[in-house]
Amino acid sequence: MRNPSAWLARQRHRFLPSRWLIGSEGVGQVLSRGRQEEWLVGRELCVFTCLDLSVVPLAKRKSFVRTTVRRLTPFQDCGSHFEFAGTKAMVWMWDRAFVAETARSSGQLKKASRVVPESLFRGTPVEGPAVELIAVSSGYEGRAWRAGALVASEWWRDAPEDREWGEFVRGAGFDMFPLVSTHPATLSETPWGGGGASLQELGSRLRAPGVSIATGLVALTIALPLGSVIRLKAQETAIDRAMTSVDEGLQAIMQARESAERDADQVNRLLALRPPASVTNTWAAMVDATPTDSWQLLEWRLLDTQTMEAVMRLERPDLERIVASWEASGTFVDVTAEMGRAPDEVTLRATLTSRGQP
């Protein structure tokens, strides 16, 4: 074996996951590597929100985000991914059952080693303040940036009209930015975020390269002449040291996770100290006030400090009934409702009050 380093590199590449994009139009492979599978969830299947963590202690931010996601998610079986940027947490949520069923029905996919949002592989962070419109796999994504954090994101099937763009920009808290020409954002091989993988994902991704390296060492020791044995032993020692370091890192992650779970009660007490019209309470009031269980939240945002807008999908929507129910909740006043683009989509706008808040 003339070039052991190149051989090791090829073996490691074999065990990196192939990448598949799962969207509303089906499944497609975007990167072919090893047998493991990494799934990208199309932007149109994700709900995005940005959390302000400036008052949350640094050591408790991950557990705070996980707890908040469980309270905010509009899905019964929620998959999620979050990235940190300064004191902001950028959170993507999706219907895990729907994604898994789409993958299974394709007949090509079995089980993912990691599931992440498509948006992490499109474009790059902007220091801002700035807004941009980029092309994604199935439509367009509007992005609003502040200090390198994605503070607002919205998806459209077709390029937004001036009115839609203006509502998005103002809803993100910006003065009007003109809608510039759309620039395509190619799907990159690496994510622009920190790649905040879970403990299970880290173990799955690190285990295969470790096995490949150990197998390579055995093969090299047998194949190379005796004069190369000393050099191979040195490489083996270095790799063992690296694998030991990886194990220590995993142990640290496990300890951090256990500590976060112990702090869950304290996090809940922190949540109880939030202002009356918090995001969590507003979402809960929305659930209680909507007079049917057959609905799905597509988009949600604050247009200003008191006015919110929600886009819902309902079966046979009754606008008068919905408006009356929201008005009677005590949380929403000046409620208006109008039909969206699709016959089962409704856009609701309301002014938030402190009445009716827990």
Side-chain angles (χ1 to χ4, degrees), residues 88-158:
K88 304 291 186 183
M90 302 168 287
V91 183
W92 292 263
M93 295 174 282
W94 57 85
D95 187 338
R96 180 159 44 198
F98 177 81
V99 170
E101 179 59 29
T102 302
R104 284 194 297 270
S105 63
S106 71
Q108 303 176 79
L109 304 183
K110 296 180 180 178
K111 184 178 181 181
S113 61
R114 187 166 76 143
V115 183
V116 287
E118 172 194 4
S119 295
L120 283 180
F121 295 82
R122 301 277 187 187
T124 55
V126 179
E127 277 301 310
V131 291
E132 61 176 348
L133 181 68
I134 65 173
V136 293
S137 59
S138 297
Y140 300 86
E141 180 183 13
R143 294 178 172 182
W145 298 91
R146 289 185 187 275
L150 183 62
V151 296
S153 169
E154 187 163 347
W155 176 84
W156 295 275
R157 173 70 66 182
D158 303 308

Side-chain angles (χ1 to χ4, degrees), residues 187-205:
L187 200 63
S188 64
E189 188 169 343
T190 56
W192 52 257
S198 68
L199 178 63
Q200 181 179 359
E201 293 166 355
L202 286 172
S204 173
R205 292 160 59 190

Side-chain angles (χ1 to χ4, degrees), residues 192-233:
W192 52 257
S198 68
L199 178 63
Q200 181 179 359
E201 293 166 355
L202 286 172
S204 173
R205 292 160 59 190
L206 291 172
R207 189 181 304 112
V211 171
S212 175
I213 291 171
T215 304
L217 286 173
V218 174
L220 289 173
T221 304
I222 296 174
L224 291 178
L226 183 61
S228 302
V229 171
I230 296 177
R231 179 166 56 87
L232 289 174
K233 286 295 184 182

Side-chain angles (χ1 to χ4, degrees), residues 47-94:
V47 173
F48 176 84
T49 189
C50 183
L51 304 178
D52 185 358
L53 307 178
S54 56
V55 298
V56 181
L58 184 62
K60 303 183 184 301
R61 287 181 179 177
K62 286 187 178 180
S63 58
F64 178 87
V65 172
R66 292 190 185 100
T67 301
T68 303
V69 166
R70 287 195 295 268
R71 292 172 177 265
L72 293 183
T73 177
F75 307 111
Q76 185 174 0
D77 184 11
C78 178
S80 65
H81 183 92
F82 58 87
E83 296 284 346
F84 294 109
T87 60
K88 304 291 186 183
M90 302 168 287
V91 183
W92 292 263
M93 295 174 282
W94 57 85

Side-chain angles (χ1 to χ4, degrees), residues 278-279 282-283 285-286 297 299-312 326 331-336 347-353 357:
S278 68
V279 172
T282 302
W283 280 42
M286 189 189 311
L297 183 64
E299 295 286 346
W300 182 90
R301 58 179 174 267
L302 286 174
L303 302 181
D304 53 42
T305 56
Q306 292 183 309
T307 307
M308 62 155 284
E309 181 183 86
V311 180
M312 295 180 173
W326 276 43
T331 300
F332 310 101
V333 296
D334 300 328
V335 182
T336 62
T347 299
L348 288 146
R349 294 186 181 89
T351 301
L352 299 175
T353 72
Q357 294 288 341

